[in-house]
Amino acid sequence: MSEILIRRAEFKDADAIASIHWRSRKEAMPWLAVVHSALEIRGYIARVLLKKEEVFVAIRSAEIAGYAAWRDGWLNHLYIHPTHQRKGVGTALLNAAKKSMPSGFRFWVFQRNMIARAFYEKHGCVMIRETDGKTNDEREPDVEYGWSRS
């Protein structure tokens, strides 16, 4: 297994982060409504995400394999490029979030994303509540999860 390096994202990483975001959603969740174009996602990452959140990338086999972003006790994004899934990248990024937010954090997962739900539960995250998804962009039922050290 290749070594995984976690580092703070830089502006030059925006294209790679956008590609990971787009591809992982399209391939892992083909049922998910597409509400933002690849270009809109790229713009959001460059103009908003990288400026307002703590964003970290995982480097595996000399390329950006995944990213995570958090702020104010919320893990807002954790996406892994499809070719790097199930190779420790998600675990490394989740561990970075746990280290950065040792008092705990919350996050959302789509109800139908059973692979992600199993991943988070395996790593000690617990379900807080389910919603009908009316408040998210995709209008997809989701689940709020939380993690705390205790």
Side-chain angles (χ1 to χ4, degrees):
M1 188 177 286
S2 298
E3 181 180 346
I4 299 164
L5 169 71
I6 303 296
R7 68 163 170 79
R8 186 173 290 277
E10 301 170 10
F11 183 76
K12 68 179 182 175
D13 301 325
D15 286 338
I17 291 169
S19 176
I20 289 166
H21 187 97
W22 180 262
R23 285 202 55 200
S24 63
R25 286 173 68 103
K26 292 287 283 181
E27 293 180 28
M29 299 177 281
W31 41 263
L32 187 61
V34 176
V35 295
H36 301 288
S37 70
L39 188 59
E40 288 172 322
I41 291 167
R42 171 40 171 98
Y44 166 77
I45 288 166
R47 289 189 310 276
V48 178
L49 193 72
L50 288 169
K51 292 179 180 181
K52 294 188 176 185
E53 297 198 20
E54 291 188 62
V55 184
F56 288 80
V57 293
I59 310 297
R60 181 178 178 275
S61 301
E63 66 183 30
I64 296 177
Y67 83 98
W70 54 82
R71 184 174 100 183
D72 300 330
W74 283 90
L75 174 61
N76 293 317
H77 300 280
L78 196 158
Y79 289 97
I80 311 305
H81 189 283
T83 61
H84 294 282
Q85 291 177 358
R86 294 181 178 81
K87 297 177 180 168
V89 177
T91 300
L93 285 166
L94 185 61
N95 287 340
K98 289 176 177 180
K99 184 176 179 181
S100 180
M101 299 180 284
S103 61
F105 54 87
R106 296 178 356 193
F107 57 95
W108 293 97
V109 177
F110 295 113
Q111 285 183 25
R112 288 199 275 175
N113 192 348
M114 299 309 292
I115 293 171
R117 292 178 68 178
F119 166 80
Y120 289 120
E121 290 171 11
K122 172 183 159 187
H123 290 282
C125 302
V126 296
M127 184 176 72
I128 296 171
R129 65 184 170 123
E130 294 181 320
T131 78
D132 59 13
K134 288 183 180 172
T135 61
N136 65 47
D137 288 348
E138 298 83 359
R139 302 296 185 255
E140 179 71 30
D142 52 11
V143 182
E144 181 180 355
Y145 275 88
W147 174 83
S148 66
R149 197 168 296 286
S150 55

